[in-house]
Amino acid sequence: MVYIRMSTVYWRSPSYNRTRLITGAAISLLFGSVYASQRVVTNESQLNSICNSIYISSFVLGLTAYATVLTFFEQERNMFYRHKAALMYD
C-alpha cells in the first residue's frame, strides 16, 4: 500500500523528475568531457582510467539521486504517518 502510493507520488511530481534529469545530464556532460578528446585507446592505463571514470560517474549519479530523493520522500512519509494516525487507511 505504501509502495504503490509512493510510486504514484514519485511519477506525478514533475519538479523532482525535471531536477533529476537536469542533474543527470549535467554530471554526464561533465564526466564525458574529460575523455572526449581521446577517441582511440592506445595503452592499458588509458583504458583503465576510462573504465574508472565510467564507474565513478555512475556512482556519483547514484549518490545524487539518493540525496535528492530523501528530502522528497521524507515529506511524503510524514504525511502518510499523519493520515495513518487519523485512521484514513482503515
Side-chain angles (χ1 to χ4, degrees):
M1 176 170 54
V2 175
Y3 175 74
I4 294 170
R5 184 167 186 248
M6 287 297 174
S7 64
T8 304
V9 168
Y10 172 78
W11 289 112
R12 288 183 183 170
S13 59
S15 63
Y16 171 72
N17 287 328
R18 191 177 330 117
T19 303
R20 190 176 59 134
L21 183 68
I22 291 170
T23 304
I27 291 174
S28 299
L29 288 173
L30 177 72
F31 280 108
S33 67
V34 172
Y35 292 104
S37 64
Q38 298 177 354
R39 300 282 182 205
V40 178
V41 178
T42 57
N43 55 16
E44 188 177 349
S45 67
Q46 286 180 346
L47 180 65
N48 193 14
S49 66
I50 290 173
C51 289
N52 287 335
S53 174
I54 292 170
Y55 173 76
I56 289 171
S57 65
S58 62
F59 186 73
V60 167
L61 279 173
L63 282 178
T64 55
Y66 179 72
T68 56
V69 81
L70 283 179
T71 57
F72 180 73
F73 280 117
E74 180 67 28
Q75 297 168 355
E76 294 298 321
R77 189 178 73 176
N78 290 337
M79 185 175 63
F80 173 74
Y81 287 145
R82 279 195 311 264
H83 289 175
K84 189 173 180 180
L87 300 175
M88 283 185 74
Y89 295 112
D90 286 337

